[in-house]
Amino acid sequence: MNKSLTLAYLYPSLMNVYGDRGNILCLVQRCRWRDIDLKVCDVSMGEELDQTYDLLFMGGGQDKEQRRVAPDLLEVKGEPIRQAVERGMVALTVCGGYQLFGRYYRPAEGSELEGIGVFDAWTIHKGPNEPRCIGNVVALWGQQTLVGFENHGGRTYLGLNTQPLARVVTGYGNNAEDKTEGAAYKNAFGTYLHGSFLPKNPSFADHLIHLALERKYGLSTFAPIDDALELRAHQAALSLTQKRGWWKKARA
Ligand code: GLN
């Protein structure tokens, strides 16, 4: 029997900076290559969130877009998302979306935006005169490298109830202080990596699909894919950091 999955794509027209939509295209294609039907449903302003989704995605956005979506995310979708995450729904949030899945985001100007508290994390933008965290990032997720680029003013700090997704080797990551990148809580993940993130990090893309299949069908393995092209893109991103070979040492 062909497997099927559903994905809720939050605010696709508002929260989609730096090509974050590419993450959706990557998940759809990697499922299609495995005869898995991944149905993507846009969930925009004012629309309720059905808790039966297998996956959820929210991309990045400038402070202006975050201010537009934050009240809706909090009042309309917050509780269903928290409940679904507690029951193991797989979620990927990027940058501005990640920030609003924390407890709050204090933008450069204006009032603080309350987050939905999936992550025990908070974000503080240090003002327009503080340099933004911009550049290519390499981080270690377990023993595997994650690559992407970041562009954020907010600095995110993690509380005790949320683990970092990865450890920064090159770049700023969450806050340019504690070498953490992103967040992980149950099957929900946040990251600052744009690029878009998943196409150049095929093992993490498969991790998300695998978690969703395991939760829905109890599947423990699935067919590998020839990732030669994806891994060439990953390697090219690694070489941008000019730290050739560092990752062999980092794994030692
Ligand atoms: N506006 C947020 C910040 O500057 C997030 C930016 C983004 O999503 N790239 O930190």
Side-chain angles (χ1 to χ4, degrees):
M1 175 191 79
N2 277 358
K3 304 278 184 291
S4 67
L5 294 170
T6 57
L7 182 146
Y9 184 5
L10 296 191
Y11 313 111
S13 58
L14 284 168
M15 297 297 283
N16 175 37
V17 290
Y18 313 124
D20 286 340
R21 179 185 300 271
N23 294 297
I24 300 288
L25 303 180
C26 174
L27 290 170
V28 167
Q29 185 56 54
R30 294 187 75 82
C31 283
R32 187 176 294 143
W33 282 327
R34 294 176 167 110
D35 285 336
I36 300 165
D37 174 30
L38 174 58
K39 182 170 183 294
V40 178
C41 305
D42 293 354
V43 184
S44 301
M45 297 283 276
E47 294 176 350
E48 301 280 325
L49 186 104
D50 176 337
Q51 292 189 39
T52 62
Y53 283 107
D54 302 306
L55 298 111
L56 174 146
F57 177 78
M58 184 169 171
Q62 306 305 345
D63 288 9
K64 185 162 80 47
E65 284 81 20
Q66 288 175 282
R67 189 168 294 286
R68 273 191 66 185
V69 305
D72 179 81
L73 179 65
L74 183 66
E75 289 144 30
V76 178
K77 303 172 177 59
E79 186 55 31
I81 291 173
R82 279 190 299 274
Q83 289 179 17
V85 167
E86 286 304 318
R87 288 202 309 276
M89 176 181 69
V90 178
L92 176 65
T93 57
V94 180
C95 205
Y98 162 36
Q99 294 171 341
L100 293 178
F101 267 54
R103 290 171 22 206
Y104 65 82
Y105 170 45
R106 192 175 299 156
E109 281 138 14
S111 56
E112 196 168 278
L113 303 177
E114 191 178 344
I116 62 171
V118 165
F119 301 126
D120 178 13
W122 58 98
T123 302
I124 297 166
H125 192 304
K126 299 198 171 176
N129 301 323
E130 187 79 9
R132 292 180 67 83
C133 300
I134 298 177
N136 293 302
V137 181
V138 181
L140 273 179
W141 169 54
Q143 291 300 304
Q144 299 191 63
T145 48
L146 296 177
V147 296
F149 76 84
E150 62 187 325
N151 183 338
H152 54 103
R155 271 65 169 179
T156 297
Y157 302 88
L158 303 180
L160 298 176
N161 203 19
T162 291
Q163 298 304 310
L165 170 64
R167 183 163 50 91
V168 173
V169 181
T170 302
Y172 299 99
N174 280 329
N175 50 49
E177 295 164 35
D178 62 13
K179 290 288 185 193
T180 62
E181 150 45 30
Y185 174 71
K186 292 184 183 269
N187 288 339
F189 303 95
T191 182
Y192 271 113
L193 300 187
H194 294 286
S196 40
F197 174 49
L198 294 179
K200 286 195 279 291
N201 297 288
S203 59
F204 194 76
D206 280 354
H207 179 60
L208 297 177
I209 297 168
H210 188 210
L211 285 171
L213 289 171
E214 197 174 30
R215 176 175 178 248
K216 186 168 188 176
Y217 296 108
L219 260 187
S220 56
T221 58
F222 63 175
I225 286 174
D226 174 6
D227 279 328
L229 188 59
E230 291 80 358
L231 294 174
R232 270 176 49 200
H234 186 98
Q235 204 61 40
L238 278 179
S239 64
L240 286 175
T241 67
Q242 307 304 326
K243 290 194 173 182
R244 297 177 198 289
W246 60 265
W247 52 92
K248 297 185 184 73
K249 289 195 231 53
R251 282 197 187 119

